[in-house]
Every structure is written in structure tokens, then in C-alpha cells.
Amino acid sequence: MDKSERSENLVKSELLRACKLLYRQKLVYATAGNVSHRCGDSIFITATGTSLGYVTPDSLVRLDMDGNVLEGGRPSSEYRMHLAIYNKFPKIKAVVHTHPTAATTLACLQTPIKTTLLAEAELFLGEVACAPYADPGTAELAEKMIYYVHGSNACLLESHGLVTWGATMKEALYRTELAEFTAKININAKSLGY
């Protein structure tokens, strides 16, 4: 096995572990949510209609940076959003799109996550704004949310969910967990009149 094959296998393995973790933590449901990881001049992304809890190596699709399928079936309908992030910010290596309850609640209310309530959130997430609504899976959604990537590590999608990114899969996952925890703190603080 050569170096590029080892690298591909490592990326696939990280992606599969990330998907199952997100499902176990109830940050996704049914077939909602998608995850991708950059691998050289291409990305691996979960296939459309895939439950992240039951993902297998056959559930991964490899795309070039223009969105052409290099191997596998049909990519997640959100592939445009993932590619927009990778193409605009080459240091980003992993993108996680989830539908966690608290963060999605705030997204439905068009309410950013107030990270200043929690020191860790302010430090590790930056500002978490809510991108204006666009139909899921469209180029319009990718165009609207890409504005919020610079200077932040997470973004809500109006009436849709949460997107995080990082230099590693672990970093993107931590940011997903932290964004959801901070969204819960936001809701709790609001309920107490803050």
C-alpha cells in the first residue's frame, strides 16, 4: 500500500468514526446531516440518503474540487456547500453539517448563537451567525453561508441546521459539540430572563 492509499484509508476511517459519533450523540437524525473530509485535491463526502449511524465505506463518495464524482454513488445534496468552504479556505480539511436540537431551534428562529455567554465558545467558535434561508442542497445556500465562514468556525443555516469546519475532523467535531452545548446555554439563559 503506497502513501496516498494509506492517506485515503485514514481519511475514510476518520469520516466513518465521525459519522457514527454524531449519530450516537443525537446531533443528527434519520438521513439528515452530512460530513466531508479533504484528501489531497479531492474530498470524501457521505452519500445522499445515508443515515450517519449506519454509514459504511460504500456510503462515501469521492469528488474532485469541481463536484465531479470520482468514485462512489450520489453525493449528499449539500456537496456544493462543502466544496464552497474547501475552495474558498484551503486550510479547512473537514466540514460537518448537523441538525442538533438546540442549534436548529435557534436557526429556525433566525437567532445567532450568543457565544459571549460562554468563554470557551467565544474562544473556539467565534461569532456564530445565522445565514439567511435558501433551499437545502442548492448553490444559493452555498453562496449565502460562505459569507459567514471567514472569522468564525460555525454557522447556523436558517430553518435548517448547523455547519462547522476545522483543520482536522476532530476539530470540526469539537466545534459541533460546543456549538450545540452553547445553543442550549442560550436557550436556558433566555428562559431565565437573560
Side-chain angles (χ1 to χ4, degrees):
M1 184 182 302
D2 68 14
K3 186 179 176 182
S4 76
E5 284 178 302
R6 281 193 304 275
S7 178
E8 285 178 28
N9 288 338
L10 180 62
V11 164
K12 288 179 182 179
S13 178
E14 284 185 18
L15 234 170
L16 295 173
R17 277 196 308 272
C19 290
K20 291 179 181 182
L21 177 69
L22 292 166
Y23 188 80
R24 278 195 312 271
Q25 292 183 331
K26 299 185 184 332
L27 296 168
V28 293
Y29 64 91
T31 60
N34 37 77
V35 182
S36 66
H37 200 310
R38 185 192 291 264
C39 186
D41 292 333
S42 62
I43 68 165
F44 284 98
I45 189 167
T46 48
T48 191
T50 300
S51 168
L52 298 191
Y54 301 94
V55 56
T56 66
D58 292 337
S59 308
L60 302 179
V61 179
R62 188 175 197 163
L63 302 175
D64 67 19
M65 300 311 281
D66 294 319
N68 299 305
V69 175
L70 301 175
E71 63 184 74
R74 274 184 44 217
S76 165
S77 61
E78 302 291 4
Y79 77 90
R80 291 173 191 87
M81 179 173 64
H82 291 252
L83 286 172
I85 294 169
Y86 291 124
N87 284 321
K88 184 123 174 130
F89 301 94
K91 290 184 180 178
I92 293 173
K93 304 294 183 204
V95 177
V96 175
H97 171 46
T98 56
H99 299 259
T101 304
T104 303
T105 299
L106 293 179
C108 289
L109 298 172
Q110 303 168 29
T111 303
I113 297 175
K114 189 174 183 180
T115 57
T116 55
L117 291 178
L118 193 63
E120 294 87 352
E122 189 171 25
L123 180 63
F124 296 115
L125 294 176
E127 184 180 337
V128 181
C130 186
Y133 181 81
D135 288 338
T138 62
E140 180 187 9
L141 177 61
E143 289 166 17
K144 285 186 173 183
M145 72 79 48
I146 199 67
Y147 172 80
Y148 299 94
V149 179
H150 183 69
S152 183
N153 294 310
C155 179
L156 295 174
L157 306 173
E158 183 183 333
S159 298
H160 189 158
L162 171 71
V163 184
T164 63
W165 46 86
T168 65
M169 181 58 72
K170 189 182 286 187
E171 191 172 58
L173 288 171
Y174 286 166
R175 289 170 175 168
T176 298
E177 291 179 60
L178 181 57
E180 174 62 359
F181 180 76
T182 309
K184 289 176 184 176
I185 297 295
N186 275 233
I187 291 168
N188 289 344
K190 185 79 170 168
S191 74
L192 294 172
Y194 180 78

